Amino acid sequence: MEIIPEQGVITEKNIMVPMRDGVRLATDVYRPDNEEAVPTLLTRLPYDKGNLYFLILNFDAAWALQNGYAIVVQDTRGRFASEGTFSPGEHEATDGFDTLAWIASQPWSNGKVGMFGESYQALTQWQTAVEQPTALRTIAPMHAPFNLTYFYQNGAFLLGLFLWWAFHDGALAEVQRRLPQGRATEADVQGIMQALNSMQQQYEHLPLADMPLLRDTAPYYQDWLTSVSKAAKNQSTQPKSYQDITVPTLNIGGWFDPFFTHVIKHYQRMKQEGGSALARQQARLIIGPWAHIDFPENFPERHYGPKASVFANLPALQQRWFEHWLKGIENGVEQEKPVSIFVMGADNWRDEDAWPLPDTRYRPFYLHSQGRANRATGDGFLSISAPLEEPADVYCYDPRNPVPTVGGAVLIQETTKSPFNWGPRDQQDVEKRADVLCYTSEALRQPVEVTGPLELILYISSSARDTDFTGKLVDVYPDGRAEILTDGILRARYRESLAAPVLMEPGQIYELHLDLGATSNLFKEGHRIRLEVSSSNFPRFDRNTNTGGNIYMESTENLVQATNYVYHDQHHASHLLLPMIERT
């Protein structure tokens, strides 16, 4: 595939663009070879602007150049050819603003800029948009965190994602940058590579804060570990940020991406709080059956068919979006429904008027058993009937032997050459464990669609002052395949708030509300709906040591077992709240 056309394009490399504090950021410009002032598509990234892969990552740079756009690619502060010190997320708002001002001042620019890119590239778009640069007309963030305070999910550290990122995109990139400067050696590079090729050992290492290889090359990792209270503070200050954004937003995500709930939140908040009528009216949401990075639509264990192909959807979608907002072409973009979702099971796209869908009916599915819901072969079942007198289910959570992560909305890699552990994987091996409770519906007599956010209400007790509870929604096929759809976790000490943790009293019953994310899935006739409940999902989340102490500082010697109970009786009706679409 030709990334940058050989003919008709002017290329300017390593232009050192000054920021307001004097730090210069290395910038590459690709633009049509003519005298016309053109609109610009900008992406800012910490992954090396010289790697042209990021210009074809769910984007068509050749199309843009051949259709009258300039493309600007910039190394963020402290990365690769740029000056300064890299501190993830810290300078992206002002650096983005200054970069847009520079673009607008160039003779080849017509003063209209759109931004594109995924993951960290998407984060830079949101942070720039908050600053309201005059030249910015629209952003198209994919798989986008709003900012980098998303290190914890409901109190549990996203270990698999952020430890891997700290080694791969933090430390490795930093030593490679230092190498030609004489500030690092090949031995430093090899040390990081050895860690990346033994990530399971890194995940298992305790204390979590004891990562010598990251101390100098990715010092922010230590801040991430202690950021759960910062995340709580940030949640209270985010609304104003959305109110500051005044441009249309094309929000793109995937059901198996770790940031997909952020993408949904961006859309909802822009619809409600966007800083202009245009921003509120022209917020779009696209969610496909995709994971992170390269949006694979076909996973080793599950194919969603040709309609799921990112190549059949995203480039053309972005092209129409930018053609309208940067060139003023009337192509119907403003008249389209704001939400497009891929309904798994039906394996088809559907356009909707809002998210959640306006006709969603939230149905409680109650947990039942005779006290032996352990494993898929146990007696746990789901029913629309509320429980009466039933014994609780009990299991032992041992942090020395946590439930392994098998797929889902994750970004986990054990070596640099191993496949990513993500997507709709089979949970049958997980469901053989005694510390996994399984509650399964009867075989469905007709298809059931579940589309929207999910909540799990559990009544629990524990022998520990603090422990975790996890929930997982699974589509069980007639042949027994148990396909993960979405999951969630709650660290019990944060059951009231992230800002004010409260330990439990052993043996006391508490009501917990677990956010299980969202999904869109058609459970077909003959399939079953299953809920898994446990206390670990490792290394997606760090292990709770069950002590009530500072988990990231505790070692293996601190680990204690927890005996955890799940109650489902007439006074403690644990249930899964499913968002059901019941259209005729």
Side-chain angles (χ1 to χ4, degrees):
M1 177 187 292
E2 185 181 44
I3 300 175
I4 302 297
E6 294 183 2
Q7 303 295 324
V9 175
I10 295 175
T11 299
E12 300 174 90
K13 295 281 187 114
N14 288 319
I15 303 170
M16 300 306 290
V17 177
M19 301 292 104
R20 64 189 63 182
D21 60 357
V23 171
R24 299 180 304 164
L25 304 188
T27 306
D28 293 348
V29 176
Y30 306 92
R31 56 186 176 87
D33 187 5
N34 57 48
E35 300 301 319
E36 182 181 354
V38 296
T40 301
L41 297 172
L42 167 66
T43 190
R44 305 182 61 252
L45 69 163
Y47 306 122
D48 186 4
K49 63 179 175 54
N51 184 352
L52 296 184
Y53 166 74
F54 291 98
L55 292 184
I56 59 170
L57 181 60
N58 314 307
F59 182 77
D60 190 342
W63 172 90
L65 290 164
Q66 291 164 350
N67 284 271
Y69 294 89
I71 297 177
V72 175
V73 190
Q74 184 179 78
D75 287 335
T76 55
R77 180 181 293 244
R79 300 293 273 183
F80 297 91
S82 286
E83 298 174 349
T85 301
F86 181 56
S87 181
E90 183 175 341
H91 298 282
E92 307 309 349
T94 54
D95 285 354
F97 181 94
D98 293 349
T99 300
L100 263 83
W102 176 84
I103 291 172
S105 71
Q106 301 307 299
W108 43 261
S109 169
N110 70 357
K112 296 180 180 179
V113 180
M115 297 183 72
F116 71 96
E118 73 159 284
S119 194
Y120 197 100
Q121 297 163 270
L123 176 149
T124 69
Q125 297 177 54
W126 284 107
Q127 296 297 294
T128 299
V130 169
E131 296 295 304
Q132 299 181 357
T134 303
L136 187 63
R137 295 293 188 273
T138 186
I139 61 174
M142 292 181 280
H143 292 339
F146 187 89
N147 51 38
L148 284 180
T149 55
Y150 177 67
F151 306 113
Y152 281 80
Q153 183 170 322
N154 298 316
F157 184 62
L158 287 155
L159 179 68
L161 170 59
F162 286 111
L163 184 57
W164 176 83
W165 198 98
F167 273 110
H168 185 271
D169 296 308
L172 181 61
E174 180 61 22
V175 295
Q176 289 173 334
R177 179 177 186 248
R178 294 177 182 181
L179 200 59
Q181 302 170 353
R183 299 192 300 126
T185 66
E186 286 292 344
D188 294 325
V189 175
Q190 290 306 311
I192 302 298
M193 288 301 300
Q194 289 174 11
L196 281 166
N197 284 312
S198 58
M199 281 307 297
Q200 188 62 32
Q201 295 179 31
Q202 312 308 319
Y203 297 140
E204 293 174 356
H205 180 76
L206 295 176
L208 292 175
D210 179 33
M211 290 288 168
L213 286 174
L214 301 180
R215 203 166 291 148
D216 176 55
T217 56
Y220 37 82
Y221 177 73
Q222 296 295 321
D223 294 332
W224 295 353
L225 287 173
T226 60
S227 69
V228 64
S229 60
K230 297 177 185 177
K233 180 180 178 181
N234 179 263
Q235 287 179 355
S236 67
T237 60
Q238 272 195 19
K240 183 179 183 298
S241 298
Y242 289 99
Q243 293 166 13
D244 288 338
I245 297 172
T246 60
V247 297
T249 55
L250 177 62
N251 301 280
I252 303 169
W255 295 124
F256 298 107
D257 176 73
F259 298 119
F260 86 92
T261 55
H262 280 227
V263 175
I264 291 173
K265 180 185 293 184
H266 296 328
Y267 165 77
Q268 292 179 297
R269 299 286 287 273
M270 286 304 298
K271 277 291 186 186
Q272 298 165 3
E273 304 166 23
S276 70
L278 180 66
R280 293 189 294 275
Q281 294 164 3
Q282 295 303 320
R284 291 285 304 276
L285 176 65
I286 314 293
I287 304 285
W290 306 317
H292 203 68
I293 301 180
D294 56 357
F295 281 29
E297 65 274 1
N298 290 324
F299 297 88
E301 299 181 19
R302 176 73 159 87
H303 288 195
Y304 290 103
K307 292 182 180 179
S309 170
V310 64
F311 303 108
N313 291 280
L314 288 190
L317 176 67
Q318 292 177 89
Q319 289 163 16
R320 294 182 66 247
W321 187 260
F322 289 130
E323 289 279 82
H324 179 68
W325 296 113
L326 297 183
K327 291 187 175 180
I329 295 174
E330 294 298 336
N331 53 17
V333 162
E334 293 194 50
Q335 287 72 50
E336 294 171 353
K337 288 191 175 184
V339 176
S340 294
I341 55 173
F342 190 90
V343 183
M344 298 176 290
D347 292 354
N348 212 346
W349 287 94
R350 197 168 67 212
D351 295 334
E352 297 288 349
D353 293 316
W355 181 274
L357 278 55
D359 56 343
T360 304
R361 295 178 180 271
Y362 294 93
R363 306 287 193 192
F365 279 65
Y366 295 95
L367 282 60
H368 295 271
S369 81
Q370 289 304 308
R372 296 181 299 277
N374 314 71
R375 306 183 179 89
T377 55
D379 65 3
F381 68 97
L382 283 177
S383 168
I384 58 174
S385 300
L388 296 175
E389 289 300 322
E390 297 179 5
D393 289 303
V394 60
Y395 60 93
C396 175
Y397 160 51
D398 184 353
R400 291 179 176 82
N401 181 28
V403 177
T405 299
V406 180
V410 297
L411 183 62
I412 295 174
Q413 196 173 26
E414 294 183 6
T415 74
T416 56
K417 296 182 179 179
S418 64
F420 280 99
N421 177 6
W422 59 16
R425 295 188 60 190
D426 192 347
Q427 306 299 300
Q428 288 185 84
D429 285 344
V430 168
E431 294 170 352
K432 294 175 182 177
R433 295 176 57 109
D435 57 351
V436 177
L437 306 181
C438 296
Y439 303 91
T440 310
S441 74
E442 295 182 347
L444 300 174
R445 298 180 181 179
Q446 61 186 22
V448 171
E449 181 182 334
V450 173
T451 294
L454 293 90
E455 184 179 26
L456 174 60
I457 293 86
L458 288 180
Y459 291 89
I460 61 87
S461 68
S462 177
S463 63
R465 300 293 309 279
D466 183 44
T467 193
D468 293 347
F469 285 90
T470 64
K472 185 187 300 176
L473 180 67
V474 175
D475 185 347
V476 183
Y477 286 57
D479 65 0
R481 170 177 168 78
E483 184 176 294
I484 182 175
L485 296 173
T486 187
D487 64 40
I489 192 169
L490 176 62
R491 186 147 290 170
R493 72 174 80 177
Y494 297 109
R495 64 193 178 277
E496 297 180 10
S497 77
L498 291 176
V502 179
L503 296 179
M504 296 187 294
E505 290 295 330
Q508 182 172 327
I509 297 177
Y510 296 92
E511 178 180 331
L512 304 185
H513 290 247
L514 278 68
D515 179 356
L516 300 192
T519 192
S520 181
N521 187 71
L522 184 71
F523 291 84
K524 294 181 179 180
E525 180 181 351
H527 286 222
R528 299 171 187 263
I529 301 171
R530 176 172 293 160
L531 170 70
E532 293 178 19
V533 175
S534 191
S535 289
S536 53
N537 184 352
F538 179 81
R540 171 159 163 69
F541 304 106
D542 68 328
R543 294 167 286 175
N544 197 321
T545 57
N546 298 324
T547 67
N550 289 329
I551 292 173
Y552 56 87
M553 295 299 296
E554 294 184 309
S555 63
T556 303
E557 291 73 24
N558 299 115
L559 301 179
V560 298
Q561 295 181 354
T563 302
N564 294 337
Y565 292 80
V566 174
Y567 300 87
H568 40 83
D569 56 52
Q570 59 185 344
H571 302 294
H572 309 97
S574 294
H575 61 278
L576 174 64
L577 203 56
L578 289 180
M580 303 185 70
I581 306 301
E582 302 169 343
R583 297 173 181 171
T584 57

